[in-house]
Amino acid sequence: MLLFWKKGYEAASIPDLLEVMGISRSSLYDTFSDKQTLYRDALEHYKKGSSNKQTILEQASNVKDGILQFFEYHIASAYDTSLPGGCFVTNTATTLESPDEQVNVLIQTSFSELEQAFCELLEKGQQSGEIDKTTDIKTVSYLLLNLHQSINIMAKTGQNPERAKEMISFVITGI
């Protein structure tokens, strides 16, 4: 997973994968059939591991704190120097030249699930009175999804994480 995350699908060669995994070529093909299947499995594995962030939204006691906690965790993860940088799913969405349909579905599902988690939290906020009933929560959810993705890209390019934190604080104030 880390090799694909760091290098991308195209640049991660079979010899690279064999070396990192410590297996033979026949074991790779016996277990995964091909490089594309291994890549999809790595994306699925990543997605399972990153589901903790959405749990923050689901368990938030109030909207603004939940969104802030989500983005604090996300920014820390995106800028974690022990990882390849950004987000494996975002990197895939922006760099894979000809993803197969299953990869496209995985990316779309990942994005739509996060957008839905934002929307559900914002709906709770409208019901509790924390968020104005006239707020277009679908648009705010989409904005938050896009901020999430832009933080991934900015982290990958080495931008200052403090600026991302300032941006999120600014947006949360306006919700």
Side-chain angles (χ1 to χ4, degrees):
M1 179 188 78
L2 291 173
L3 181 67
F4 279 133
W5 186 357
K6 181 179 180 179
K7 287 188 159 192
Y9 177 79
E10 303 295 332
S13 69
I14 295 294
D16 291 340
L17 291 164
L18 297 175
E19 181 180 333
V20 166
M21 295 170 69
I23 62 174
S24 68
R25 186 176 292 267
S26 62
S27 292
L28 180 118
Y29 289 110
D30 287 344
T31 306
F32 298 101
S33 304
D34 56 23
K35 180 179 168 183
Q36 188 68 25
T37 302
L38 175 60
Y39 190 74
R40 282 193 303 267
D41 287 353
L43 276 169
E44 288 286 354
H45 178 73
Y46 174 84
K47 207 174 148 204
K48 286 177 191 167
S50 65
S51 65
N52 294 338
K53 286 191 297 191
Q54 282 183 239
T55 302
I56 294 169
L57 297 174
E58 293 162 4
Q59 296 178 352
S61 58
N62 76 49
V63 175
K64 292 182 180 185
D65 286 345
I67 293 170
L68 180 61
Q69 289 171 5
F70 171 88
F71 277 104
E72 285 174 344
Y73 182 91
H74 175 61
I75 291 166
S77 298
Y79 284 87
D80 184 342
T81 57
S82 70
L83 298 172
C87 165
F88 186 22
V89 174
T90 303
N91 293 354
T92 298
T94 59
T95 61
L96 197 58
E97 292 180 23
S98 58
D100 69 17
E101 188 57 32
Q102 290 175 319
V103 170
N104 278 331
V105 168
L106 193 145
I107 292 166
Q108 290 301 320
T109 301
S110 180
F111 290 174
S112 64
E113 286 173 352
L114 181 54
E115 183 179 3
Q116 184 61 35
F118 284 130
C119 193
E120 288 171 6
L121 179 58
L122 291 165
E123 284 173 348
K124 287 180 192 174
Q126 280 186 325
Q127 292 167 2
S128 72
E130 186 183 351
I131 302 293
D132 188 287
K133 297 251 188 250
T134 63
T135 300
D136 181 351
I137 60 172
K138 293 212 181 283
T139 299
V140 174
S141 300
Y142 191 66
L143 169 69
L144 294 172
L145 171 68
N146 279 275
L147 291 175
H148 176 268
Q149 299 311 319
S150 71
I151 288 168
N152 292 329
I153 292 168
M154 299 306 272
K156 184 88 171 154
T157 62
Q159 301 297 310
N160 184 343
E162 293 306 312
R163 295 205 57 209
K165 292 175 187 175
E166 291 167 4
M167 174 186 66
I168 295 305
S169 292
F170 178 79
V171 169
I172 291 172
T173 302
I175 294 177

